[in-house]
Amino acid sequence: MTAQLNPRGDVAVLVPAAGAGVRLGPGAPKALRLLAGQPLLVHAVRRIAAAPSVHTIVVAAPATEVEAVRAMLAPVASVTVVPGGAERQASVAAALAAVPAGPEIVLVHDAARALTPPQLVESVAAAVRDGHDAVIPVLPVVDTIKEVDATERVLGTVDRSALRAVQTPQGFRRPVLVAAHRSAADALTDDAGLVEKQGIAVTCVPGSELALKVTRPFDLALAEHLLATGA
């Protein structure tokens, strides 16, 4: 059954899904790799659509796969699909341009974080709604972090208490994200980074262990296990 998005919602979610995902090995574009028999993108969109505040979902698909992605997602949710770019930033900008009038909160979400719970979507949106210009979900860094030089010689141990691992969705007031992309000079892979370059404060909210990013074959196997255990 196709999920019905909220016509009174104030959130648009952009999903850049045009990347190749070379670290996952040869095959289809990463967002279209199968997880438990369905593309990562399908899992991601299904969870986004379950968030009550979501008014619009825009997916930036590989340029040669737009029609296939549109057909793939039609049974899942009412989604707008546009051609993505060669770089992630170009894909986000293309998706942002397709957001209709109405939603004033824009979230950017990686399709590779396919198991992200709807509650995290709502948490990020709520923080923007509460007055923050930019919001990112984060987890504490639990590993010991070493700084090394070009020869892999250890220079020192980094204080991890001030470090955070960043996830998506990242949330923004719509004018803030639009201005950041208009001013972008570098093809950054992090939208909060674009906003930071504008001198705008970025606020953190607690992330979710389920919002892991499927980047390597091991991540895919872990996601398969989590789905099998009810994630």
Side-chain angles (χ1 to χ4, degrees):
M1 180 182 295
T2 302
Q4 298 302 309
L5 303 182
N6 183 0
R8 293 192 176 95
D10 59 353
V11 176
V13 183
L14 316 181
V15 186
V22 293
R23 285 175 291 180
L24 199 53
K30 180 162 69 171
L32 306 184
R33 303 291 182 94
L34 296 184
L35 169 63
Q38 292 187 311
L40 291 167
L41 180 60
V42 168
H43 290 282
V45 167
R46 182 178 293 119
R47 284 162 174 74
I48 294 167
S53 296
V54 175
H55 175 283
T56 299
I57 301 172
V58 183
V59 172
T64 59
E65 303 286 347
V66 170
E67 291 304 323
V69 168
R70 191 172 286 134
M72 175 194 306
L73 295 176
V76 181
S78 299
V79 175
T80 300
V81 182
V82 299
E87 303 290 343
R88 184 181 187 279
Q89 186 203 327
S91 292
V92 174
L96 183 58
V99 176
E104 286 302 312
I105 298 172
V106 179
L107 275 55
V108 184
H109 185 51
D110 294 332
R113 298 186 188 273
L115 303 186
T116 298
Q119 294 88 344
L120 187 57
V121 175
E122 289 297 306
S123 175
V124 172
V128 179
R129 200 177 292 120
D130 285 345
H132 298 289
D133 286 327
V135 177
I136 56 174
V138 301
L139 293 176
V141 173
V142 296
D143 292 322
T144 298
I145 304 297
K146 298 287 187 181
E147 181 184 3
V148 301
D149 64 16
T151 67
E152 295 297 310
R153 177 174 169 269
V154 172
L155 300 177
T157 303
V158 179
D159 179 8
R160 68 186 181 197
S161 67
L163 301 179
R164 298 292 182 270
V166 181
Q167 301 179 317
T168 69
Q170 299 182 356
F172 310 90
R173 287 198 308 110
R174 184 171 179 171
V176 168
L177 188 61
V178 169
H181 275 273
R182 283 178 178 166
S183 302
D186 303 313
L188 296 182
T189 59
D190 177 74
D191 294 277
L194 291 178
V195 170
E196 290 166 30
K197 284 180 174 289
Q198 303 301 305
I200 294 172
V202 177
T203 300
C204 298
V205 297
S208 168
E209 297 286 356
L210 290 175
L212 75 157
K213 187 175 183 180
V214 175
T215 301
R216 304 156 298 167
F218 174 81
D219 305 322
L220 193 60
L222 176 57
E224 292 263 8
H225 172 73
L226 290 171
L227 270 178
T229 56

